[in-house]
Amino acid sequence: MPLAVEQFDLRGYDVVISSSHAVAKGVLTGPDQLHLSYVHTPIRYAWDLQPQYLREAGLERGVKGALARALLHYMRLWDQRTAAGVDVFVANSRYIARRIRKAYRREAEVIYPPVDVESFTLHEQKEDFYLAASRMVPYKRMDLIVEAFSQMPGRELVVIGDGPDFEKVRAKAAPNVRMMGYQPFASLKEHMQRAKAFVFAAEEDFGIIPVEAQACGTPVIAYGKGGALETVQEGVSGVFFPEQTPRAIIEAVERFEQQTWTPSAVRQTVEGFGAGRFRQQFKALVEREWSKFVASKAGGRYPE
């Protein structure tokens, strides 16, 4: 992928905007081009999440493990080197801005990504079930949610999503856990509107789906790390659990049920995450940085 992204010929453009979760920021640009990189995360599997990815892929030991570590070492060197080709870093959350600072020693302006909050309309009437929805991959930790609710037979959990870990997750499901697999958008939205709470156990860079749930007026029970800390307001639109364990989720559900939740107040907390706000902020950023870049050409130095 690093080799492939370096083959793009972008010489005909004044401004290059890369949207990067891995290698896109490595595109080659010249001194008369402004490169802004909207970073969703530095390469997860090459930086601080390397041990987790190696463990989940079964590459902790052996020859394959050694080769994987060598390859990821090369990826880190390439990733850090290509950071020098970015004029302006933009992060999708304060959490990712901190990761950019750690990996690249660069500051990043934060612009939250656009969420289609208008499509997820407020629904005041909630029903007596919890909802979890995600692609079934290891870092989403859907297995923990299912395991937690399987220990709470009096509470119903609906699970929407498919992926490599589906059968593994379904094997942990008790009768009170309904595994629905992949569902079209209309079904996901309907369940989101009707659920009493949305349960989210991943450590996400930003996490769009908890924002969509809150736009429906549905509070969120989330792992208290990563982007969720910037989108969920404790006591107003949800509660946090401190560890990725079934016990912590169970305790969070119990705390959630001790409070009273107002769907309209939950929705209010996320109305500022809409697409219009994103367009306005990103357009202003590009225009500001382009003006600074043009001015710097005369002076020979891009201003900090």
Side-chain angles (χ1 to χ4, degrees), residues 44 48-49 51-52 55 92-96 98-99 102 112 139-141 144 199-208 210 214 220-234 238-245 248-249 252 255:
R44 291 190 192 99
D48 52 310
L49 298 184
Q52 177 183 333
R55 182 176 64 254
N92 72 357
S93 66
R94 294 193 299 273
Y95 175 61
I96 293 305
R98 294 194 298 272
R99 294 190 73 212
K102 188 77 171 180
Y112 292 122
Y139 88 93
K140 296 290 188 179
R141 305 315 308 267
L144 294 180
V199 189
F200 188 72
E203 180 183 339
E204 281 284 11
D205 310 322
F206 173 76
I208 285 179
Q214 290 170 87
V220 174
I221 301 170
Y223 176 44
K225 195 172 180 181
L229 290 172
E230 300 172 50
T231 62
V232 180
Q233 294 184 25
E234 178 110 43
V239 298
F240 295 115
F241 50 92
E243 299 173 341
Q244 289 175 310
T245 64
I249 295 173
R255 283 189 286 111

Side-chain angles (χ1 to χ4, degrees), residues 29-301:
T29 55
D32 291 327
Q33 295 173 295
L34 175 65
H35 178 191
L36 300 98
S37 188
Y38 188 46
V39 175
H40 307 286
T41 177
I43 306 175
R44 291 190 192 99
Y45 49 84
W47 290 97
D48 52 310
L49 298 184
Q50 174 184 295
Q52 177 183 333
Y53 274 81
L54 290 175
R55 182 176 64 254
E56 289 167 354
L59 293 172
E60 289 184 286
R61 298 180 181 82
V63 175
K64 287 184 178 179
L67 289 172
R69 291 173 192 277
L71 177 62
L72 293 175
H73 174 70
Y74 159 74
M75 286 291 291
R76 279 192 295 278
L77 295 176
W78 177 88
D79 194 36
Q80 197 166 50
R81 176 180 60 77
T82 56
V86 177
D87 296 296
V88 181
F89 275 105
V90 189
N92 72 357
S93 66
R94 294 193 299 273
Y95 175 61
I96 293 305
R98 294 194 298 272
R99 294 190 73 212
I100 289 170
R101 188 182 307 119
K102 188 77 171 180
Y104 309 140
R105 299 300 179 188
R106 296 280 298 277
E107 296 300 317
E109 183 162 333
V110 175
I111 298 181
Y112 292 122
V115 182
D116 188 10
V117 294
E118 298 307 315
S119 293
F120 291 84
T121 49
L122 174 65
H123 192 76
E124 297 276 0
Q125 301 302 315
K126 303 300 178 184
E127 298 178 22
D128 193 20
F129 71 90
Y130 293 84
L131 174 67
S134 174
R135 179 161 165 74
M136 300 285 182
V137 291
Y139 88 93
K140 296 290 188 179
R141 305 315 308 267
M142 294 292 280
D143 57 326
L144 294 180
I145 299 173
V146 169
E147 193 174 334
F149 275 85
S150 293
Q151 297 176 34
M152 297 185 285
R155 298 178 173 97
E156 182 184 355
L157 174 70
V158 173
V159 180
I160 292 176
D162 201 355
D165 277 7
F166 182 81
E167 292 301 329
K168 175 185 171 184
V169 174
R170 183 161 65 174
K172 297 186 176 185
N176 63 310
V177 176
R178 183 153 54 105
M179 302 286 297
M180 295 185 65
Y182 168 79
Q183 294 293 305
F185 172 75
S187 176
L188 172 64
K189 175 182 171 181
E190 180 194 4
H191 281 86
M192 229 176 232
Q193 290 174 319
R194 292 164 42 218
K196 67 191 298 183
F198 184 83
V199 189
F200 188 72
E203 180 183 339
E204 281 284 11
D205 310 322
F206 173 76
I208 285 179
I209 197 165
V211 178
E212 294 170 341
Q214 290 170 87
C216 296
T218 302
V220 174
I221 301 170
Y223 176 44
K225 195 172 180 181
L229 290 172
E230 300 172 50
T231 62
V232 180
Q233 294 184 25
E234 178 110 43
V236 178
S237 65
V239 298
F240 295 115
F241 50 92
E243 299 173 341
Q244 289 175 310
T245 64
R247 183 70 250 165
I249 295 173
I250 292 168
E251 290 173 356
V253 169
E254 291 170 349
R255 283 189 286 111
F256 169 83
E257 293 182 348
Q258 292 169 5
Q259 296 181 237
T260 301
W261 303 92
T262 306
S264 58
V266 172
R267 179 178 169 85
Q268 267 189 333
T269 64
V270 298
E271 287 181 340
F273 288 107
R277 179 270 321 159
F278 174 82
R279 282 193 296 269
Q280 182 182 30
Q281 289 183 341
F282 209 92
K283 182 173 183 288
L285 171 79
V286 173
E287 290 175 346
R288 183 192 75 210
E289 295 300 331
W290 175 246
S291 295
K292 288 166 60 177
F293 187 75
V294 170
S296 75
K297 282 183 173 183
R301 182 174 181 272

